[in-house]
Amino acid sequence: MKNTAIKEITAKKIVIVGGVAGGMSAAARARRLSEQSEIIVFERTAHVSYANCGLPYYLGGEIKSQAKLLVATPQDLKDKFNLDIRVKHEVIAINKEAKTVTVRDIAAGRDYQESYDDLILSVGAAALRPDIPGIDGPGRFVLRTIEDVANIENWIEQQKPSTAVIAGGGFIGLEMAEQLTKRGMAVTLVDNKEQVLSPIDIEMAALVHSELKTHGVKLLLGKPIVGFSQPEKYQAQEGSKPKSCWVHAGNEAPVAADLVILGMGVRAETTLAKQAGLTIGERGGIRVDSKLQSSAANIWAVGDAIEVLNPISQNWTLIALGGPANRQGRLVAENILGAKKTYQGTIGTAILRIFDITVATVGLNQNQLINSGRAFEALHLHPTNHASYYPGATRLDIKVLFDPASGQLLGAQIVGQDGVDKRIDVFATAIKAGMTMRDLAELELAYAPPFGSAKDPINLTGMAATNILDGLISQVQWQEIGLLKDIESCIVDVRTDGERERGYIPGSKHIPLQKLRQRYHELPKDRMIITYCQSGQRSYNAARFLQQHGYTVKNLSGGYLTWHAAESLNSEKANNLVQTLPCLSQSDCSAGAKK
Ligand code: FAD
């Protein structure tokens, strides 16, 4: 019953509102299935089927021609698919009883009715413009459409901006931070949260912060924008060329910006749906059933405008991504034409390049798991992308979250230079397939030294998690280090002298792994031992050795690399925390605290 194919196709009159990702996918699929159907697409902008995901790269100059963004013109679509594409036509009302829509022909300035058998809403999302004083002034742009791009391009040509503020550290904000930096602008990124990229956890975001700073992007995090003001007010004190505006964030001094990109999030476009009385979910998107039908018969909805069920949490959520929109469009076309296919939900597989690194995520992050009350174990690894002896190996920073009872993979995040994309796709496939960490340990993945390792990072993640599931090792997380009570634990650094010289967790005792067999008796048996190395792998060996000599041991997940990344977020706070670290006041441990 789940994915019943089409048995018999009856031609229909299908009206689609929105002619980009989900809408055009639905239109093309419907035509391939039914030559006899009448298919009309209404799009209120001047363009359909354009690559909105490519817009930042066009603005940055990586995509040279705007024409490249236009995947197909209305004429192409007429010629190829016999689609009736009506651009600059906005659907302003739905009459679900009469099964008609009211359409505004923007160019002609007239309204008319169009009937439908089935109506698909693929109306996308609208960029948020919060009610902040001055947000609508000149030089402040959102980025969603070709028209937005043209406006930003014109501004850049006229104003020749040398400074830019990106308001919001989400995917689009970060892509624009990269692209405007590459165009030579001094970029400041402002976000009211303490981290960029809220789909990933903060210690992973710390790696992104570091990359942004390395490339000159100034970060103002944890600072809500409270206003935009015009230059006159500040020009005297600035005494330099007029700026388009000043951005006021938190209590910080105002930041000059010749150009502002507003990447402050999106909201599902529900104007039409609300007017038609369709059910809107608690997350603010159009509520659909498992076939992607709205609360009204013969009205379907896809893409950024709908709420989707996350199959891991079973919670309704809003996920604005191109892949799901395209697949949903295809599925709805099939269901309209007689299939009974069920949408399997969206797990939020996403990827992003930021200068020299790639960041990717899938599934639930730690905050989402905490909020949904689901038990989880977090595991951090730092393997190389391919065999470390082969030239050019670089580090992958991997975090996975899994169910501590069943081992089911719940989420994964990766930051690295190379090989991030293929690993995140394996994790995404594993989540869709309901695989466990034990399954990941067993995956047979392609290996030759330039591409991977005999134990691929995916296998290593599965193996490390299996050790936890099998009770061979337990972990502490970087957040817990500062909270450990001094009578309870002793932190042991098993790295080399050279690694120790470059930094260590204050209060930790240093016994290199190679010397542990001779020196382990220096460690107190009445306290919990926390082992750490650079990545967590050597300290796992140390932990296993100590356990077998009667110690109670936990291994620091992700080792010094993860701890240090997180610590860099707030070194002042971390310094305070490490003052309370256990070993400082205990002689048998503090003896080794220096080195
Ligand atoms: P859209 O593709 O946004 O299309 C909605 C269309 O409906 C719009 O053209 C709008 O004008 C039209 N419309 C709305 N209301 C009406 C009406 N009443 N009448 C007529 N027309 C109407 N996703 C990724 O997965 N990867 C990426 O790298 C990525 N990069 C992105 C970069 C940018 C700059 C942007 C803006 C988005 C990016 N996305 C990315 C998100 C992705 O583009 C969207 O998730 C996807 O386009 C959503 O498809 P959709 O059909 O729901 O809406």
Side-chain angles (χ1 to χ4, degrees):
M1 281 305 287
K2 215 173 181 188
N3 277 326
T4 316
I6 308 170
K7 296 213 172 73
E8 197 178 312
I9 292 178
T10 311
K12 298 248 183 123
K13 179 174 180 181
I14 302 170
V15 166
I16 300 171
V17 189
V20 192
M24 289 317 305
S25 176
R29 182 66 174 164
R31 174 56 74 229
R32 282 191 288 268
L33 292 173
S34 170
E35 188 56 28
Q36 306 308 321
S37 288
E38 184 182 358
I39 304 168
I40 305 173
V41 180
F42 292 112
E43 168 55 53
R44 65 182 169 198
T45 70
H47 305 280
V48 285
S49 205
Y50 59 86
N52 38 15
C53 306
L55 301 180
Y57 302 101
Y58 171 71
L59 275 169
E62 282 188 52
I63 297 173
K64 302 281 178 226
S65 129
Q66 202 187 81
K68 291 259 183 211
L69 297 172
L70 301 171
V71 181
T73 64
Q75 192 58 49
D76 294 336
L77 293 162
K78 173 78 186 159
D79 296 345
K80 211 165 152 192
F81 292 113
N82 189 26
L83 298 176
D84 181 352
I85 307 278
R86 303 186 197 171
V87 293
K88 296 192 184 171
H89 280 62
E90 180 171 13
V91 174
I92 55 173
I94 301 168
N95 184 338
K96 54 185 199 253
E97 285 73 33
K99 292 177 77 174
T100 60
V101 290
T102 307
V103 185
R104 178 156 298 161
D105 179 342
I106 296 167
R110 70 178 182 102
D111 294 351
Y112 63 95
Q113 306 289 313
E114 191 70 60
S115 65
Y116 62 82
D117 294 326
D118 285 275
L119 177 67
I120 303 175
L121 301 179
S122 188
V123 287
L128 288 179
R129 270 182 179 265
D131 191 13
I132 297 172
I135 197 167
D136 292 324
R140 280 141 259 184
F141 302 95
V142 299
L143 178 59
R144 285 215 63 84
T145 61
I146 296 276
E147 284 78 2
D148 295 333
V149 162
N151 291 336
I152 297 170
E153 265 300 297
N154 287 342
W155 182 265
I156 291 175
E157 265 176 37
Q158 287 160 15
Q159 303 293 324
K160 313 248 174 309
S162 58
T163 57
V165 162
I166 309 291
F171 285 86
I172 295 172
L174 288 179
E175 286 176 351
M176 285 306 295
E178 180 202 63
Q179 293 298 317
L180 295 183
T181 301
K182 287 184 175 176
R183 278 190 78 150
M185 293 178 215
V187 174
T188 303
L189 191 147
V190 187
D191 200 304
N192 60 358
K193 291 186 281 307
E194 297 285 347
Q195 67 165 93
V196 299
L197 280 182
S198 53
I200 63 173
D201 293 319
I202 194 158
E203 74 276 21
M204 302 299 283
L207 303 165
V208 182
H209 297 177
S210 165
E211 180 72 4
L212 288 163
K213 285 188 216 156
T214 300
H215 289 269
V217 176
K218 192 174 167 212
L219 297 181
L220 281 183
L221 299 174
K223 313 278 179 212
I225 293 182
V226 292
F228 299 84
S229 60
Q230 289 310 114
E232 290 76 25
K233 197 171 164 192
Y234 295 95
Q235 208 174 331
Q237 76 189 63
E238 172 70 5
S240 58
K241 78 165 186 164
K243 306 289 181 194
S244 67
C245 76
W246 289 84
V247 180
H248 304 264
N251 297 325
E252 298 286 315
V255 184
D258 303 337
L259 168 65
V260 176
I261 302 293
L262 301 167
M264 304 174 91
V266 295
R267 63 164 175 77
E269 177 54 84
T270 51
T271 317
L272 266 182
K274 283 179 181 158
Q275 172 276 326
L278 306 184
T279 301
I280 305 296
E282 67 259 25
R283 305 298 309 276
I286 302 171
R287 184 55 68 83
V288 290
D289 65 13
S290 62
K291 307 283 182 288
L292 301 182
Q293 184 162 215
S294 75
S295 56
N298 303 101
I299 303 181
W300 310 74
V302 300
D304 293 358
I306 65 168
E307 291 185 359
V308 286
L309 262 185
N310 182 308
I312 309 165
S313 65
Q314 290 300 319
N315 289 333
W316 290 102
T317 180
L318 294 165
I319 296 183
L321 287 170
N326 271 276
R327 292 196 309 280
Q328 291 158 10
R330 178 183 163 98
L331 182 141
V332 152
E334 294 179 10
N335 282 347
I336 286 173
L337 291 166
K340 290 190 170 50
K341 294 198 173 174
T342 299
Y343 185 63
Q344 308 286 320
T346 305
I347 55 172
T349 316
I351 192 162
L352 170 74
R353 186 196 68 199
I354 305 161
F355 297 107
D356 298 330
I357 63 168
T358 305
V359 187
T361 176
V362 60
L364 299 182
N365 65 27
Q366 189 155 323
N367 281 338
Q368 289 166 328
L369 285 164
I370 290 169
N371 291 339
S372 65
R374 177 134 192 200
F376 66 91
E377 179 83 31
L379 173 67
H380 303 79
L381 270 85
H382 308 279
T384 51
N385 65 319
H386 59 59
S388 53
Y389 62 81
Y390 185 81
T394 54
R395 198 176 88 205
L396 291 171
D397 297 291
I398 300 177
K399 176 175 185 178
V400 289
L401 299 138
F402 58 94
D403 187 302
S406 68
Q408 186 194 347
L409 177 61
L410 305 172
Q413 301 160 34
I414 315 179
V415 178
Q417 290 177 33
D418 286 312
V420 172
D421 50 350
K422 73 169 176 169
R423 271 59 182 231
I424 205 71
D425 282 345
V426 174
F427 284 133
T429 308
I431 289 180
K432 286 288 268 189
M435 290 168 74
T436 68
M437 300 309 291
R438 293 179 198 280
D439 296 324
L440 294 185
E442 297 299 326
L443 282 183
E444 185 178 323
L445 301 168
Y447 161 59
F451 302 103
S453 303
K455 285 179 194 153
D456 189 86
I458 298 279
N459 298 131
L460 288 175
T461 310
M463 290 167 185
T466 302
N467 287 334
I468 298 167
L469 292 166
D470 287 346
L472 288 174
I473 188 73
S474 19
Q475 303 187 101
V476 291
Q477 298 295 329
W478 61 269
Q479 304 94 320
E480 297 170 80
I481 285 291
L483 305 172
L484 296 166
K485 296 283 177 288
D486 53 358
I487 46 160
E488 288 174 356
S489 63
C490 176
I491 300 176
V492 183
D493 179 353
V494 301
R495 298 172 305 158
T496 62
D497 291 345
E499 288 171 312
R500 179 85 177 171
E501 291 287 348
R502 290 191 287 277
Y504 57 89
I505 298 178
S508 58
K509 181 177 176 68
H510 185 213
I511 306 181
L513 181 62
Q514 288 84 343
K515 298 193 178 143
L516 192 61
R517 282 191 168 75
Q518 294 91 61
R519 292 182 52 195
Y520 73 90
H521 55 270
E522 294 172 28
L523 298 175
K525 272 226 159 127
D526 57 343
R527 283 197 273 157
M528 164 90 67
I529 306 295
I530 311 294
T531 51
Y532 80 90
C533 62
Q534 200 71 356
S535 67
Q537 199 178 359
R538 281 170 291 164
S539 53
Y540 165 69
N541 292 320
R544 288 295 303 151
F545 169 82
L546 290 171
Q547 280 171 345
Q548 291 172 68
H549 284 78
Y551 288 87
T552 307
V553 191
K554 289 185 187 242
N555 193 24
L556 174 61
S557 179
Y560 184 75
L561 286 171
T562 297
W563 179 86
H564 186 254
E567 198 255 2
S568 71
L569 283 164
N570 192 343
S571 49
E572 202 175 301
K573 188 174 160 201
N575 282 340
N576 290 339
L577 287 174
V578 294
Q579 296 306 316
T580 63
L581 276 177
C583 302
L584 286 175
S585 60
Q586 299 293 322
S587 59
D588 51 358
C589 207
S590 62
K594 280 191 275 110
K595 255 210 273 175

